[in-house]
Amino acid sequence: FIGFLRDITSLKEHELKHQSELREAKHKAELQLNTITDAIPGGFKICENKTQFVYISPQLPRMFGYSMEEFQNISNGDIYGCMYEGDRERVKNTFDNMSSENESYTVKYRVVCKDGSVKWISDYGKNVIQRDGSEKYYSFVLDINEQELLTELLEQERKQYRDALVQNAIYFYEFDVTEGILTEEYVEKNGFNPFMAMGIEIPVKYDEFISKRMAYLKETKLGNGNNAILSCQSIIDEYKRGNTFIEWEMYGEMMDEYRKSAALMYEDSYG
């Protein structure tokens, strides 16, 4: 048996100093992160596997009425745990379709609050590749509940107004003016189908359809004598000027009729 005894005091002191410096650096990093998140009008989270919490700012659970401990328990450490059930599949599809190349994302969903209500939030994030090749998802969470409730209210009012407009209308159609494509035929109350009469198949460009319809029915826009307002671009220009409702009068020589057309324009908040 041969025993050795070495003095490792200096090595141990160096190790303890290094550990202390690491703890101090970690503490400073946490303070910096908390200072940044305190200045954010919302919450902040870091996740792995896209939805599992690695870090959440103190503001995040407070947005929904929870303490940090309550939020961790109710969510089970995963955003799906506190998400409104009706939004989970849609959000899951969004995350599943993301690539792993530092891709940014924005997704809206509802979170169940402590009092049982639901709150709309917007989750803005990006997946960041770490040095070891793993991924972490850094995201800001903003409260957009008031905005979404107002949008729903406006949509209800718009539907009521639209229903009132079309109640006595000869015909009615709806389309995305930015795409400028009609995807459905319409039939007038008297049974006249302009698409069938002119041999036009769906889908068709709105501007092309209007031009052919006016030529077929020998229609003329009354008033300033300018038919430009009937084009998609002119309708968009009117909307940009703040006009969400426009009207114009037409005379159709073929049917010997005067008609008033109206367009109710709105922007889809889900784009």
Side-chain angles (χ1 to χ4, degrees), residues 64 66 71 74 81-85 88 110-119:
F64 315 113
Y66 297 106
F71 189 71
I74 197 70
C82 57
M83 188 183 298
Y84 179 66
E85 186 175 359
R88 290 176 190 170
R110 286 162 287 186
V111 172
V112 180
C113 299
K114 184 177 179 178
D115 62 7
S117 64
V118 293
K119 177 176 288 189

Side-chain angles (χ1 to χ4, degrees), residues 122-137:
S122 186
D123 189 333
Y124 303 87
K126 182 175 183 178
N127 58 327
V128 179
I129 309 300
Q130 308 297 300
R131 290 182 178 180
D132 61 2
S134 64
E135 295 179 337
K136 283 190 171 57
Y137 290 74

Side-chain angles (χ1 to χ4, degrees), residues 148-211:
E148 289 299 311
L149 294 179
L150 180 58
T151 299
E152 291 178 7
L153 179 60
L154 290 175
E155 178 59 31
Q156 292 174 5
E157 292 179 349
R158 182 165 53 230
K159 184 179 183 303
Q160 292 173 354
Y161 187 45
R162 181 179 59 195
D163 291 345
L165 282 175
V166 304
Q167 186 174 7
N168 297 315
I170 297 173
Y171 62 87
F172 165 77
Y173 58 89
E174 187 172 16
F175 74 105
D176 186 339
V177 71
T178 56
E179 294 180 354
I181 304 293
L182 291 176
T183 58
E184 295 183 2
E185 295 183 359
Y186 68 81
V187 179
E188 298 187 5
K189 284 188 174 181
N190 61 9
F192 175 66
N193 184 327
F195 298 89
M196 185 177 297
M198 294 183 290
I200 297 177
E201 295 184 357
I202 291 296
V204 62
K205 291 182 179 179
Y206 171 82
D207 289 352
E208 177 186 345
F209 169 74
I210 288 297
S211 177

Side-chain angles (χ1 to χ4, degrees), residues 3-33:
F4 293 92
L5 180 65
R6 295 176 57 197
D7 184 354
I8 60 170
T9 301
S10 61
L11 291 175
K12 196 64 178 178
E13 288 177 345
H14 179 74
E15 178 183 338
L16 293 174
K17 180 181 179 182
H18 182 61
Q19 291 177 350
S20 176
E21 289 174 346
L22 285 176
R23 286 194 298 269
E24 181 65 21
K26 183 179 179 181
H27 179 64
K28 286 181 179 180
E30 290 176 348
L31 284 178
Q32 290 174 346
L33 182 59

